[in-house]
Amino acid sequence: MANTTKRMLSMSLKKLLSKTTLDSITIQDITDDAEVSRKTFYYHFQDIYDLLGWMLERDAENLMGEKVDADNWKPALGRVLTSAREKKTLVVNACHSVSRELVERYLCRNIEYVMRPLVVREAKQLGAGAEGVRFVLDISKYSLCGCILTWIDRDMQESPEELLAAISVLEVEDIDSLLRRFAANGNKN
């Protein structure tokens, strides 16, 4: 029952975000659309940002589907980009509101999830340790996150496929190069 109510509230937020920015939406708007009381909303979520975070996490879980590994990170990222483009108005409205930081955290967390298997595999092969993995993951996730946020800021003019092709310049060779340099500097922990 609790997840059903959360899904109803999430669907109402998505519906409202397809029309306006998050900072223009009130809890009353959401509860009216979901036909539940404000008390019910607060039973499940602390505020609208808590609901948005829950909604983004469920969407990410559904999009990732299969386990992401070092060989299928691009299709996983492609699914995220395609879904974002399909929900363009919702995504743009969420990002162009006061919740941009929440969207950025969501993106970074999911990009790290997608990239981690690739970076760990390459680090093991090159003898780079945990510090190298952390360093390269940070570079990768913040670079990709910046690219995706810029794409959103530009109203998603490029197709998801074009953006993925541009992002794909971050290939295994680049990750290897960073890990090699990190390990060469004595950072093998």
Side-chain angles (χ1 to χ4, degrees):
M1 181 68 170
N3 276 338
T4 302
T5 303
K6 287 181 173 185
R7 281 193 300 274
M8 284 178 20
L9 292 166
S10 174
M11 289 178 0
S12 292
L13 179 58
K14 285 179 183 180
K15 179 179 170 184
L16 294 166
L17 276 171
S18 69
K19 299 174 187 171
T20 189
T21 60
L22 187 67
D23 49 356
S24 299
I25 298 171
T26 66
I27 290 172
Q28 191 65 52
D29 294 333
I30 296 167
T31 57
D32 286 350
D33 186 77
E35 298 179 354
V36 298
S37 69
R38 289 175 59 87
K39 185 177 178 181
T40 299
F41 178 93
Y42 286 112
Y43 178 79
H44 296 286
F45 300 104
Q46 293 178 352
D47 54 27
I48 290 176
Y49 304 104
D50 189 25
L51 170 57
L52 179 64
W54 185 88
M55 180 183 80
L56 292 172
E57 289 303 319
R58 296 301 82 66
D59 284 355
E61 288 170 4
N62 292 334
L63 285 173
M64 293 301 167
E66 66 201 58
K67 182 166 174 35
V68 177
D69 61 33
D71 297 318
N72 72 354
W73 70 272
K74 285 182 189 177
L77 185 56
R79 286 191 300 275
V80 171
L81 297 174
T82 299
S83 176
R85 183 76 179 275
E86 289 168 355
K87 301 171 186 166
K88 180 179 175 179
T89 304
L90 183 154
V91 172
V92 169
N93 283 339
C95 284
H96 290 164
S97 68
V98 293
S99 67
R100 183 180 178 95
E101 182 182 327
L102 181 65
V103 174
E104 187 174 329
R105 278 197 320 262
Y106 159 79
L107 275 174
C108 283
R109 190 170 45 250
N110 285 289
I111 289 168
E112 182 171 335
Y113 173 78
V114 167
M115 295 298 297
R116 179 176 289 283
L118 174 65
V119 174
V120 168
R121 180 187 73 186
E122 299 305 309
K124 283 181 183 175
Q125 291 174 357
L126 297 169
E131 285 182 38
V133 169
R134 177 82 265 141
F135 177 74
V136 173
L137 269 176
D138 285 346
I139 289 173
S140 301
K141 79 178 173 188
Y142 289 117
S143 297
L144 294 178
C145 185
C147 289
I148 293 169
L149 288 172
T150 299
W151 177 62
I152 293 167
D153 287 342
R154 293 180 181 157
D155 206 31
M156 300 180 181
Q157 292 177 2
E158 301 91 358
S159 70
E161 295 78 20
E162 290 170 319
L163 179 60
L164 189 58
I167 286 173
S168 292
V169 300
L170 181 68
E171 293 289 342
V172 175
E173 295 81 23
D174 300 313
I175 290 170
D176 284 355
S177 176
L178 287 168
L179 288 167
R180 281 182 209 280
R181 284 186 276 166
F182 197 86
N185 288 331
N187 297 302
K188 297 187 179 207
N189 307 5

